[in-house]
Amino acid sequence: MVAACGRAEQCRRLLPARLVVYFVLGLALFSPAPYIEVMRHLVAGLRGLGLLGEWHVSAKFSLFRARQRLGFEPLQVLFAATAKPMAGESTPGAFWRGLRVLAVDGTYWDVADTEANQAAFGRPGSGHGAKRGAFVQVRMAALVEVGSHAVLDAELAGCRAGEVTLVGRLPRSCTAGQLVLADREFLGVPLWRAFTDSGADLLWRVSANRVLPVNKLLRDGSWLSTIHAATDPAKRDPVQVRVVAHHLKGTGKEAAASDYRLVTTLLDPCRYPARQLAALYRERWEIESFFAEIKTFQRCAKVVLSSTTPDGVLQQI
């Protein structure tokens, strides 16, 4: 016990909070390298410059304890302070007719199967065996800049949390001058209004069974319509939208659909032609590329997040 206390005190002395933050970032950059190897990567340049003095790389136990003491809040604050738009006017795909193009969507992270993680995050159901998923999972909703793949905001919760609920917290990072793309499962009046209240414009896909009456047909074939909240059966509080319908070329599953529809806040057909809006919507798939980059290529494919505690999981993500 005395030896353990001595090691903990040494860890506090040798690993200030700022270095531990760098270390946690290094765990992501050099994933899935072991603790000691990551720390050696971080300090190798300093040693070459003669700036380390008698300092030596701490033992794995000390690094583990330092991560525990740090918690996830400093990383959360760092993310909030640095998660800003990165694309410039010349970045391909970043802007469309003066609007910065963003996308929202959700995904899952597989995390270590421990009792603490399961209690905090849960696991999905399954139609096989024990009727539960193989891994504990964390649900993440993200707001991503299409042109740069920079994450502007993210929300984390257990795997049973609703994706729409998490996305509903992301308008806090939206402003005027942005155009947000989203898939069909997100179209609902409360969420639509949450984003439009931020000043952002929207271009979202519509489910095939959604009724969108033609209130006014526009010159480019799009039309003005209204959507209503499920809590407004009398239809007294409509939201005006513009509908863009088009067909996809090809033989895939999506192309077989008779009507592929989008709704948008951009009501002027002269300034925002329907054909161009339909072509722009494919940029929504850039957020899927972002998920692949961060989950498959950065983390490495089929690698489960290693943290055995909820704080550690949140810290890693």
Side-chain angles (χ1 to χ4, degrees):
M1 185 174 185
V2 172
C5 291
R7 287 196 298 270
E9 177 59 32
Q10 181 188 46
C11 183
R12 279 188 285 271
R13 179 169 54 85
L14 296 178
L15 291 175
R18 181 178 297 181
L19 180 57
V20 182
V21 170
Y22 293 157
F23 170 66
V24 175
L25 296 176
L27 290 174
L29 292 173
F30 301 113
S31 176
Y35 275 26
I36 301 301
E37 188 65 25
V38 170
M39 183 57 79
R40 285 172 179 162
H41 278 305
L42 292 179
V43 302
L46 297 177
R47 187 174 299 283
L49 293 173
L51 299 178
L52 287 184
E54 297 182 358
W55 189 90
H56 59 87
V57 175
S58 302
K60 179 180 178 179
F61 172 83
S62 297
L63 296 173
F64 175 75
R65 290 294 299 272
R67 274 195 65 193
Q68 282 188 317
R69 288 199 313 278
L70 182 69
F72 71 89
E73 290 88 353
L75 276 298
Q76 190 177 48
V77 171
L78 178 62
F79 171 77
T82 57
K84 308 296 181 185
M86 295 176 62
E89 293 286 347
S90 61
T91 304
F95 289 86
W96 183 79
R97 292 183 173 263
L99 299 172
R100 186 183 297 273
V101 183
L102 312 179
V104 293
D105 207 349
T107 189
Y108 288 99
W109 293 85
D110 290 334
V111 304
D113 188 0
T114 65
E115 291 185 4
N117 285 346
Q118 180 169 321
F121 306 120
R123 67 173 74 232
S126 172
H128 305 282
K131 306 297 182 182
R132 62 178 191 171
F135 296 102
V136 178
Q137 290 185 334
V138 177
R139 188 190 286 272
M140 180 179 79
L143 176 70
V144 173
E145 184 179 46
V146 165
S148 67
H149 291 189
V151 190
L152 306 187
D153 202 349
E155 272 289 324
L156 304 174
C159 67
R160 303 287 183 175
E163 198 167 67
V164 172
T165 300
L166 296 186
V167 169
R169 301 170 189 169
L170 301 180
R172 64 195 175 200
S173 297
C174 294
T175 64
Q178 296 175 338
L179 177 61
V180 181
L181 313 181
D183 207 359
R184 55 191 167 188
E185 68 265 25
F186 296 110
L187 182 59
V189 168
L191 189 58
W192 184 272
R193 282 181 165 152
F195 276 95
T196 56
D197 286 349
S198 74
D201 283 295
L202 311 179
L203 179 63
W204 293 7
R205 189 180 171 189
V206 187
S207 58
N209 61 354
R210 188 78 178 236
V211 177
L212 295 168
V214 180
N215 296 340
K216 181 181 179 181
L217 186 63
L218 303 176
R219 58 186 296 177
D220 62 355
S222 63
W223 68 91
L224 298 183
S225 186
T226 51
I227 58 176
H228 301 268
T231 55
D232 182 28
K235 298 183 178 181
R236 295 174 180 171
D237 190 19
V239 172
Q240 186 179 48
V241 297
R242 178 176 163 217
V243 185
V244 176
H246 66 286
H247 295 272
L248 296 178
K249 294 181 180 180
T251 59
K253 182 179 178 181
E254 293 290 350
S258 60
D259 191 12
Y260 192 93
R261 299 176 301 167
L262 309 171
V263 290
T264 181
T265 56
L266 303 173
L267 305 182
D268 186 347
C270 295
R271 188 174 181 184
Y272 308 107
R275 182 182 293 271
Q276 293 186 24
L277 285 169
L280 173 68
Y281 183 74
R282 65 186 178 185
E283 297 299 318
R284 191 204 72 81
W285 290 97
E286 288 297 315
I287 196 170
E288 304 295 346
S289 297
F290 153 71
F291 289 145
E293 288 165 2
I294 195 170
K295 292 174 62 179
T296 303
F297 299 107
Q298 180 174 315
R299 181 189 57 175
C300 295
K302 299 182 181 180
V303 173
V304 177
L305 292 184
S306 59
S307 294
T308 58
T309 65
D311 265 16
V313 168
L314 296 176
Q315 188 187 76
Q316 278 190 280
I317 298 177

